Structure formats: C-alpha cells, structure tokens
C-alpha cells in the first residue's frame, strides 16, 4: 500500500520506518517530527506543511514523495524537520474544509469560530508547533523556516508565487534568495496581520515563513508532479542542506497588498468574470465590488486582483488588491 493511501486511511504511523540516522516521532495525527542523529554542519529548523485546504492535493503528494525519499534513505536529513499534513478529514472528503476555512483560524482566532473539525485542528496544530519549538535542539537552531504549501482555486498570470506574512522586522535576505532560487514567478507581501498558518509561525516564533501557491487545485491522482519539479528540488535541497540551484526563469515579480475586499453582507457582488485569473490587471476606476453601503473601485497603484471569490462566507476575504513593486 502506498504512503498516500496509508495517510488517508490513518495507517501510516505504524507502517513507516526511517534509517538509524533519523529519529522520528509522531506528535499528532499527520504531524511527523524528524531529527538528524548526527550532523557535521550547522543545523536549522524547517517546517513544511501541506493540505491545510483538503482539496489542494499536489502539495500533499509532494510531501509524500519527500517523506518516502527520507524513509528509503535516498534523501539525507540535515535539519530538524516537522512535516504537517493539515486538514486530514477534508483531504479524505475531497473538500476544501469540513466546517470552516482552517487557514483563517491561527493565532488563536479559532476561538472566534464554532467548535468543529477545523477549529479543533487549528488548536492542535498550534500546540504541536509550540511543542516542537521547545525541543532543545530546535531552540538551538540558527534559522527557523516554515513553508506552507498550497494550490489556488483559479488560474493565475503567475503560476507559482509566495505570500509573505506581514511582519515588522525585515524579511531575511537568505530566505528571499531561496524563494528566488526556487524559480517562483512572484512574491506578494501582506500589509496586515492575518489568521493564516504562515502568519502564526512568523508572528509567534519569528520564523521565516510563507504560503507557497504552486499551481492549480486538482483531485488526488490528477496532478502532473513534473510541473512542480522546481519546488520539489528546492525542498530536497533545503532538507538535505545542499546548495540551491540558480534561477532559470525570468526575473521575479514583486507585489504588495494594498487593500482587502471583505464580504460583510449577502448583497455582496464581485463585478468580474468567474474565470478571472490571479494577478489580472484592472483599469483605473473600475467598480470591482460592492455591497450594502460600500463599494470598491480600482485606484492606482493597486490595479491587480488576487484570490477573487464572491462565494466566500460573510466575514471572509473575497479578494486582495495589489500594487506591483519596481
């Protein structure tokens, strides 16, 4: 039985062994801690998560591939590693979430939601991160990084991009360089705090964190993993402590969030076609969205739309307006 099937059937814990050079322990369902027993180089800490949205399957399949390579001894482990398969019930159901969007609940925000599958999982994952970060070996690490892997609902003018959480401190130059070397197409810098998993680790543990959007959301078995080879190789290099490949794509584009379109009423309307791609540029003065007593118009320099979705629940984000940085 393959590892993905074992994961989805909750049988993976008892059917996975690692080389003697790796100390493994399951900290919670779908959360695996791997520590190198010996290391001749400085050791960092790395968290890689996938499946926070259950229908975003390519990242889960990539994580399974990395896990298999580690277990078979084909990929050496240089750093303290935490692998997280996020929303397992939603993965098994083939849904984005069961009750509510898990990636809006971190930083204690789960307390603002009714008790349910996702609120319980957010609370559990926060507890696991604290436990992991209190490991003496992890605390002694010089670098702490968290990569939360996702795929987008819709097409995109930039197929692969990273969203960096808002932080008052400077973004680490070596982390930005790693993102560039990973052959991403764009970076997006948030302008406010949020309830995402990557914002939680950045804010509470000073990690170099980001949400990686690596392609389009498809069901399990329908992903062409060759399309994600740049991300897979970059993650392998990071786990093993190998030097990264140099960038092969054109120059990385950078954007900054200027405004969020929040759906606050059932009268909400988003005035763009449903197939509008992420990073589409919209004309000055365009009436992009409106609801009772409120409207949004495109105003330079925030001419680009990201994650437009009129079908979100009341109180959630229906889109982000971006400016392109030079």
């Amino acid at each position: 039985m393959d590892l993905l099937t074992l994961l989805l059937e909750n049988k993976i814990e008892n059917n996975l062994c690692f080389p003697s050079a790796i100390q493994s322990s399951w900290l919670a369902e779908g959360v695996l801690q791997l520590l190198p027993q010996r290391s001749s180089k400085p050791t960092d800490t790395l968290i890689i998560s996938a499946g926070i949205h259950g229908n975003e399957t390519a990242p889960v399949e990539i994580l399974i591939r990395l896990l298999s390579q580690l277990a078979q001894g084909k990929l050496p482990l240089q750093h303290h590693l935490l692998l997280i398969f996020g929303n397992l019930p939603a993965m098994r159901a083939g849904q984005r979430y069961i009750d509510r969007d898990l990636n809006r609940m971190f930083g204690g925000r789960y307390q603002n939601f009714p008790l349910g599958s996702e609120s319980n999982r957010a609370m559990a994952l926060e507890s696991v991160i604290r436990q992991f970060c209190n490991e003496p070996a992890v605390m002694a690490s010089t670098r702490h990084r968290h990569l939360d892997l996702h795929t987008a609902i819709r097409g995109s003018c930039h197929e692969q991009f990273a969203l960096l959480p808002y932080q008052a401190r400077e973004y680490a130059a070596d982390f930005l360089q790693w993102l560039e070397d990973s052959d991403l197409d764009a970076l997006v810098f948030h302008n406010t705090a949020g309830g995402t998993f990557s914002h939680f680790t950045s804010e509470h543990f000073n990690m170099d964190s980001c949400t990686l959007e690596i392609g389009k959301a498809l069901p399990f078995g329908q992903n062409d993993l060759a399309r994600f080879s740049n991300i897979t190789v970059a993650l392998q290099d990071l786990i093993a402590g190998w030097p990264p490949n140099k960038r092969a794509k054109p120059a990385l584009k950078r954007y900054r969030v200027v405004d969020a379109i929040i759906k606050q009423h059932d009268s909400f309307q988003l005035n763009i076609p449903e197939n509008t791609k992420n990073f589409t540029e919209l004309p000055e003065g365009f009436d992009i969205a409106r609801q009772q007593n409120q409207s949004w118009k495109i105003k330079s320099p925030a001419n680009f739309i990201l994650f437009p979705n009129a079908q979100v629940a009341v109180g959630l984000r229906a889109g982000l307006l971006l400016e392109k940085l030079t």
Side-chain angles (χ1 to χ4, degrees):
M1 194 178 292
D2 65 89
L3 289 183
L4 179 58
T5 302
L6 289 170
L7 175 73
L8 296 178
E9 294 185 0
N10 197 21
K11 299 176 181 177
I12 195 169
E13 292 189 23
N14 298 321
N15 290 275
L16 191 61
C17 297
F18 292 91
S20 59
I22 297 175
Q23 176 190 336
S24 66
S25 55
W26 291 91
L27 303 187
E29 185 184 6
V31 182
L32 178 61
Q33 174 181 280
L34 299 175
L35 303 178
Q37 293 290 73
R38 298 175 300 277
S39 178
S40 58
K41 303 177 184 177
T43 304
D44 297 337
T45 289
L46 177 62
I47 299 174
I48 308 175
S49 51
I52 293 295
H53 293 136
N55 64 336
E56 298 177 6
T57 59
V60 176
E61 293 181 21
I62 290 170
L63 216 56
I64 285 288
R65 175 175 288 187
L66 296 173
L67 184 54
S68 175
Q69 292 170 341
L70 286 162
Q72 294 173 42
K74 295 179 180 179
L75 181 64
L77 179 64
Q78 171 64 32
H79 303 301
H80 309 306
L81 179 63
L82 191 68
L83 299 178
I84 299 175
F85 297 94
N87 196 336
L88 288 163
M91 281 185 228
R92 292 163 184 150
Q95 300 174 186
R96 185 172 175 83
Y97 51 78
I98 300 298
D99 299 313
R100 301 285 193 282
D101 190 337
L102 175 58
N103 212 30
R104 301 291 177 270
M105 294 187 178
F106 291 99
R109 292 172 179 82
Y110 56 83
Q111 299 171 77
N112 301 327
F113 292 83
L115 282 177
S117 179
E118 279 78 22
S119 56
N120 287 335
R121 185 60 167 170
M123 180 167 52
L125 289 179
E126 288 193 10
S127 176
V128 163
I129 295 291
R130 291 189 186 93
Q131 178 183 345
F132 177 66
C133 290
N134 283 329
E135 286 273 353
V138 171
M139 293 176 69
S141 297
T142 53
R143 289 192 191 93
H144 298 78
R145 293 175 174 175
H146 175 207
L147 307 169
D148 186 29
L149 276 58
H150 287 252
T151 50
I153 298 170
R154 62 183 62 243
S156 181
C157 299
H158 302 307
E159 184 177 21
Q160 297 183 337
F161 57 97
L163 297 111
L164 288 100
Y166 169 78
Q167 56 187 48
R169 66 188 188 278
E170 288 188 15
Y171 297 96
D174 59 350
F175 186 54
L176 296 178
Q177 185 64 52
W178 181 85
L179 292 170
E180 185 164 348
D181 292 339
S182 301
D183 264 356
L184 298 175
D185 301 304
L187 300 183
V188 177
F189 296 86
H190 273 289
N191 65 339
T192 59
T196 64
F197 199 13
S198 60
H199 185 91
F200 167 70
T201 54
S202 169
E203 180 182 22
H204 292 270
F205 299 94
N206 288 324
M207 290 190 180
D208 298 322
S209 304
C210 73
T211 302
L212 280 175
E213 298 279 356
I214 62 172
K216 189 114 169 34
L218 293 170
F220 283 118
Q222 295 186 23
N223 296 296
D224 177 8
L225 293 186
R227 295 185 65 87
F228 313 106
S229 60
N230 59 314
I231 298 297
T232 305
V233 169
L235 293 173
Q236 289 169 332
D237 292 343
L238 204 55
I239 289 169
W242 295 331
N245 292 324
K246 292 300 181 182
R247 184 173 182 82
K249 286 184 178 179
L252 190 72
K253 305 295 190 297
R254 298 188 179 209
Y255 298 82
R256 183 178 69 88
V257 176
V258 174
D259 195 11
I261 300 172
I262 307 298
K263 181 177 179 179
Q264 298 285 19
H265 194 269
D266 288 334
S267 64
F268 180 85
Q269 291 182 320
L270 194 59
N271 302 322
I272 54 176
E274 287 191 5
N275 62 351
T276 300
K277 292 183 177 181
N278 287 323
F279 299 97
T280 292
E281 186 173 6
L282 299 169
E284 182 79 10
F286 178 71
D287 188 358
I288 186 171
R290 60 175 55 246
Q291 61 191 359
Q292 185 177 355
N293 300 323
Q294 189 176 16
S295 66
W296 287 265
K297 291 184 183 293
I298 297 298
K299 182 179 180 181
S300 293
N303 293 89
F304 298 85
I305 183 69
L306 181 62
F307 301 141
N309 185 2
Q311 307 308 316
V312 297
V314 170
L316 293 185
R317 182 190 70 201
L320 293 172
L321 296 176
L322 312 178
E323 69 166 314
K324 192 174 185 178
L325 304 176
T326 56

